[in-house]
Amino acid sequence: MLTERLVEKRIEDGEILLKALQRERFPVLRMFWCRMPESQRWRLVIASRLVDKIGSLGAYERLQRILAGLQLSSLSLMNISVLSPSSGEFGRLLEHAAGPGTFGTAAAAGPVRDIVFEDAYFYHV
């Protein structure tokens, strides 16, 4: 199966988005690119307690307003997931992205900046 590569433009656009989310007080606990196991496509995963407060639809609407002001060519709602940090889906994606072993787990949770794994890229939040 042909797999899609994570390119530098997506990584940079993710960093721009993260800064914009922080400016707009959109709470982000974790943010990482993850190659989805079923499709081998990259997806930007954002864990936010905002989903618990205003629901998924409200969080996506707020994210779309922020994205619209940024004009990022490699990012759209089509390749972003905003999930509750307490959801099972987020837990499974984090586990998949961090991979086996303590190094991946520690990098996902610790103060390490911009760690790249074979199937993930973690931003420092």
Side-chain angles (χ1 to χ4, degrees), residues 15-99:
E15 187 72 37
I16 292 167
L17 175 60
L18 178 58
K19 289 176 184 174
L21 293 173
Q22 290 168 335
R23 273 194 315 274
E24 297 293 325
R25 300 193 192 290
F26 187 109
V28 176
L29 293 177
R30 297 267 192 276
M31 187 167 131
F32 58 92
W33 283 100
C34 177
R35 190 174 342 184
M36 303 304 283
E38 67 279 353
S39 68
Q40 296 301 305
R41 300 250 182 227
W42 287 94
R43 188 151 198 84
L44 184 62
V45 178
I46 302 171
S48 177
R49 296 206 190 284
L50 192 60
V51 174
D52 298 327
K53 290 182 182 179
I54 64 172
S56 293
L57 182 59
Y60 278 107
E61 287 173 346
R62 191 161 164 205
L63 175 61
Q64 180 58 39
R65 284 194 300 273
I66 295 168
L67 272 173
L70 297 176
Q71 303 295 318
L72 301 173
S73 62
S74 71
L75 284 178
S76 72
L77 288 184
M78 298 292 290
N79 59 357
I80 300 174
S81 292
V82 181
L83 304 169
S84 165
S86 60
S87 74
E89 183 179 3
F90 172 72
R92 286 186 297 279
L93 285 173
L94 181 60
E95 186 176 291
H96 167 73

Side-chain angles (χ1 to χ4, degrees), residues 5 10-11 15-16 21 49 77 88 92 97 100-101 110 112 115 120 123-124:
R5 290 186 51 172
R10 284 186 179 172
I11 293 170
E15 187 72 37
I16 292 167
L21 293 173
R49 296 206 190 284
L77 288 184
R92 286 186 297 279
V112 179
I115 297 295
Y123 293 96
H124 174 68

